Amino acid sequence: DGTPLSDLVRVPTREVQMRALSDPEIYQLEMDRVFGKTWLLLGHESEVPNSGDFVVRDMGSDSVIVARAKDGNIHVSLNVCPHRGMRISTVDAGNTQIHKCIYHGWAFKPSGEFIGAPVEKECMHGKMMPKEDLGLPQARVTLYGGIIFATWDLEGPSFEEFLGDAKWYFDTLFERSDKGLEVLGPPQRFIVRANWKAAGEQSAADGYHTLTLHRWLGEVGNYSKSGEGGSADLSPEMYGVEVSSPHGHALRCIDLGRKIRKLTGLDPAELTVDQKLEALPPPGMTHEMLPQLRKRLSEEQLEVMVSMPPQVGGIFPNVLFAFVYIPQADGSVLGLTLLHAYVPKGPDQLEFVNWVLAEKDAPQELKDKMLMQSIQLFGTSGMVEQDDSDTWPHMTLAAKGARGRRSTLKYQAVYETGAPAGWPGPGIVNEGFTKDDTQWHWWLYWNELMNAKA
Ligand code: FES
């Protein structure tokens, strides 16, 4: 509507023009400049354990086949037939060594290589293009803690470079155990009539909304017992350390000392790192698994894990992770480990994909509990996400108004308090109550990508 792209994110005043949340032209540009350039979450290798196993997922507006080939490697192939553009796999998941297009029957391996076409010998008279030119376009793939990420940017930054300083913290979640994580059941999926960025920027560690939108957490059920003095005020639960990243990743590290004190009656200041780990193991880990942490993480990473562990945050552009401690009726704590992806499905629609994770080493009984509570809280009918998915459509609709689309979102309540004394981790670190800083950095990276020279 005449506003230059460079004016959508107003850096000097820390504002974002609302039309960014619904404009179809901006959405189209995002597909190239954001989803065509960054590393995207597609699933977990435990979803495709055997040769020929595949799932169909999306990289922005492109459907892709994520398949394990005979050599054991995972390939991500564009799910588009090079003959006439038909979608090759029309199902969500399965097992096959031959992906056959239903239109004219061209066939492809799980690696994306072209196998052949019907009546090739009888009718084509050797006129077909060489087989190596007819394979499916391949994305660049990496596994991180078994999680599958892929990008169309074949020459761009490595996944490690993309994570940058945030990797130091993410390793404490995704690379902390010998056997790694696995997915419990197929991911849950549901459609929300909202622009992906309404959810995406919230994933950049917005704990602020919890106090109001999820206030019921402090008023009913087990959570009501978790606040200091059993009050409905959840704000003490949100104090901690925020980590922002120049690549838009974010972490909300929350004080664990309160929980240790409340649950064990012990004074965390008097405990060693090992004693704190024993008192309250990280979400999804058993006491027996704790030596693996020592083996895989540095002393500094362990120090953060037992004092201010990352519990919620995001991987740019559209991933939220949660490694949270859920109070139980018997006074114990159950850890839940989750990944969400907010997959764009048009300017006004996203698909919410929810993976429930557990450590492979964890006992089955614990995995069953984790799955049940994750679904109850965070799944398709989960209580928490029902709150969130009520706000995002309103924001998207508001961004269409003749006046509303020219309004700006405000990201000015920034602490910039700096890191607490002796904080051992890297990144842009601010101590205090969660508010605007991490989300502002999310928008800054979005802005950088959207205005980058091709
Ligand atoms: Fe796939 Fe023709 S479009 S074989």
Side-chain angles (χ1 to χ4, degrees):
D1 65 357
T3 315
L5 192 60
S6 58
D7 194 39
L8 287 174
V9 174
R10 295 174 178 169
V11 177
T13 54
R14 305 185 89 119
E15 292 174 276
V16 177
Q17 242 196 87
M18 273 192 73
R19 80 179 179 97
L21 288 182
S22 80
D23 188 303
E25 283 179 39
I26 292 171
Y27 178 84
Q28 210 48 54
L29 277 176
E30 285 171 338
M31 292 304 103
D32 284 333
R33 297 184 185 183
V34 177
F35 287 87
K37 286 287 181 191
T38 52
W39 289 92
L40 302 170
L41 166 67
L42 295 179
H44 191 274
E45 64 167 342
S46 59
E47 295 181 87
V48 287
N50 304 309
S51 168
D53 285 349
F54 72 93
V55 292
V56 173
R57 298 279 151 80
D58 294 297
M59 291 177 66
S61 50
D62 290 313
S63 172
V64 292
I65 302 171
V66 181
R68 194 176 291 271
K70 276 191 173 155
D71 64 4
N73 290 323
I74 291 172
H75 292 258
V76 174
S77 310
L78 186 67
N79 189 15
V80 175
C81 182
H83 184 220
R84 293 289 188 275
M86 173 62 194
R87 187 182 175 99
I88 294 165
S89 183
T90 54
V91 295
D92 284 339
N95 179 286
T96 184
Q97 294 296 342
I98 304 172
H99 290 271
K100 187 171 163 187
C101 178
I102 61 166
Y103 197 179
H104 309 93
W106 284 24
F108 305 87
K109 293 181 186 177
S111 61
E113 291 165 83
F114 179 71
I115 298 173
V119 295
E120 197 181 328
K121 289 200 181 67
E122 296 87 333
C123 302
M124 308 284 185
H125 307 297
K127 296 282 190 196
M128 270 193 94
M129 289 170 72
K131 288 193 175 184
E132 45 279 21
D133 294 340
L134 293 174
L136 305 176
Q138 298 292 295
R140 192 170 153 211
V141 182
T142 196
L143 296 179
Y144 177 57
I147 304 166
I148 305 166
F149 287 88
T151 179
W152 294 120
D153 191 3
L154 304 184
E155 309 296 332
S158 67
F159 184 70
E160 282 212 356
E161 289 166 335
F162 173 63
L163 289 187
D165 283 345
K167 183 177 184 301
W168 190 91
Y169 301 93
F170 290 144
D171 283 353
T172 69
L173 306 172
F174 301 113
E175 290 278 10
R176 64 191 186 179
S177 63
D178 293 345
K179 291 194 183 154
L181 297 159
E182 68 176 7
V183 167
L184 303 180
Q188 296 186 306
R189 304 185 306 178
F190 60 102
I191 294 290
V192 183
R193 295 196 176 280
N195 184 275
W196 72 273
K197 292 190 296 303
E201 67 98 58
Q202 191 210 68
S203 76
D206 179 1
Y208 188 30
H209 74 285
T210 308
L211 304 187
T212 306
L213 188 65
H214 304 308
R215 185 178 164 79
W216 63 267
L217 282 167
E219 295 175 338
V220 297
N222 300 335
Y223 255 108
S224 62
K225 299 171 193 148
S226 68
E228 295 281 15
S231 79
D233 180 10
L234 282 168
S235 54
E237 303 286 343
M238 298 298 136
Y239 282 96
V241 167
E242 307 283 333
V243 182
S244 311
S245 146
H247 286 165
H249 316 307
L251 298 114
R252 187 150 54 89
C253 305
I254 301 175
D255 178 18
L256 198 66
R258 291 182 61 256
K259 283 193 173 63
I260 291 177
R261 200 178 299 113
K262 186 174 173 58
L263 288 165
T264 65
L266 299 167
D267 178 0
E270 308 267 298
L271 301 179
T272 64
V273 167
D274 285 333
Q275 286 168 331
K276 288 183 204 172
L277 286 171
E278 285 290 338
L280 199 51
M285 296 197 91
T286 60
H287 291 272
E288 293 71 32
M289 295 168 73
L290 295 178
Q292 297 179 27
L293 292 172
R294 278 238 164 261
K295 211 165 51 172
R296 303 180 66 89
L297 302 176
S298 69
E299 202 59 48
E300 290 78 14
Q301 285 170 311
L302 285 171
E303 181 53 48
V304 166
M305 281 195 85
V306 297
S307 57
M308 293 275 177
Q311 291 190 39
V312 184
I315 303 175
F316 189 90
N318 64 336
V319 176
L320 177 140
F321 67 82
F323 282 64
V324 287
Y325 301 82
I326 306 293
Q328 302 293 290
D330 63 3
S332 65
V333 167
L334 177 68
L336 301 184
T337 51
L338 299 143
L339 280 173
H340 300 335
Y342 307 116
V343 180
K345 293 281 181 182
D348 301 334
Q349 192 159 280
L350 66 87
E351 184 177 52
F352 192 126
V353 188
N354 174 32
W355 288 268
V356 179
L357 302 165
E359 300 287 349
K360 269 191 195 136
D361 263 354
Q364 190 58 45
E365 190 189 351
L366 176 58
K367 291 178 185 174
D368 293 344
K369 259 193 200 172
M370 291 171 77
L371 180 59
M372 193 185 72
Q373 287 226 357
S374 298
I375 290 170
Q376 188 186 32
L377 280 173
F378 302 103
T380 306
S381 55
M383 295 184 287
V384 175
E385 259 77 7
Q386 294 301 314
D387 295 339
D388 294 305
S389 56
D390 196 33
T391 60
W392 303 328
H394 288 291
M395 295 155 69
T396 305
L397 202 58
K400 291 179 180 305
R403 177 63 184 82
R405 70 173 184 267
R406 291 184 178 82
S407 295
T408 56
L409 311 170
K410 316 290 191 270
Y411 291 83
Q412 296 137 331
V414 180
Y415 278 91
E416 292 187 345
T417 48
W423 182 257
I428 305 161
V429 180
N430 285 300
E431 185 179 18
F433 189 84
T434 170
K435 234 170 184 180
D436 278 346
D437 213 21
T438 48
Q439 289 169 281
W440 177 242
H441 282 280
W442 186 95
W443 277 109
L444 286 180
Y445 190 51
W446 178 87
N447 193 42
E448 186 183 319
L449 290 173
M450 290 292 281
N451 287 286
K453 299 260 181 300

